[in-house]
Amino acid sequence: MSDPTSDIALLDTRAPDGGKAMQSAFLWVLASLATAIAIFVITLLVWAQNERAAGRMIIGAQKTTGYLPVVASQFATLHGRPGGL
C-alpha cells in the first residue's frame, strides 16, 4: 500500500476522498454567485438613484432656470454646499 499523501496516490486503484474538494468547490460557486448578485443589485440601485437625480435636473431645467445652473446647484448640493454656489 502506498502513502495516500503522495503524488502518485491518484494512480492507485483506490479513489481519493473527494467530499472535501466538492464542498470547497460548492462554496466557491455559491460565494461567486452571491457576489455577482450583490454587484448586480448595487448597480441597479445606483442606476435608479442617478435616474431620479437626472429627472429632477431635467424638470428643474424646464422651469426657466436653465440646465447649467441646475447642474451646478446639484453639484454644489452633492458636495456639501446646499443653496447653490
Side-chain angles (χ1 to χ4, degrees):
M1 230 161 153
S2 64
D3 182 20
T5 60
S6 70
D7 292 338
I8 60 168
L10 293 177
L11 298 177
D12 289 343
T13 57
R14 295 174 287 122
D17 181 27
K20 201 167 213 173
M22 289 297 290
Q23 182 182 12
S24 179
F26 175 74
L27 289 177
W28 271 103
V29 168
L30 188 63
S32 299
L33 184 62
T35 302
I37 289 172
I39 289 172
F40 180 72
V41 167
I42 290 171
T43 303
L44 284 179
L45 291 174
V46 169
W47 172 77
Q49 192 270 337
N50 287 339
E51 188 74 20
R52 286 190 301 272
R56 285 192 300 269
M57 289 170 53
I58 290 170
I59 290 171
Q62 292 173 348
K63 292 181 181 177
T64 68
T65 59
Y67 186 71
L68 189 57
V70 171
V71 172
S73 174
Q74 180 70 20
F75 182 78
T77 303
L78 184 66
H79 291 285
R81 293 189 213 117
L85 294 173

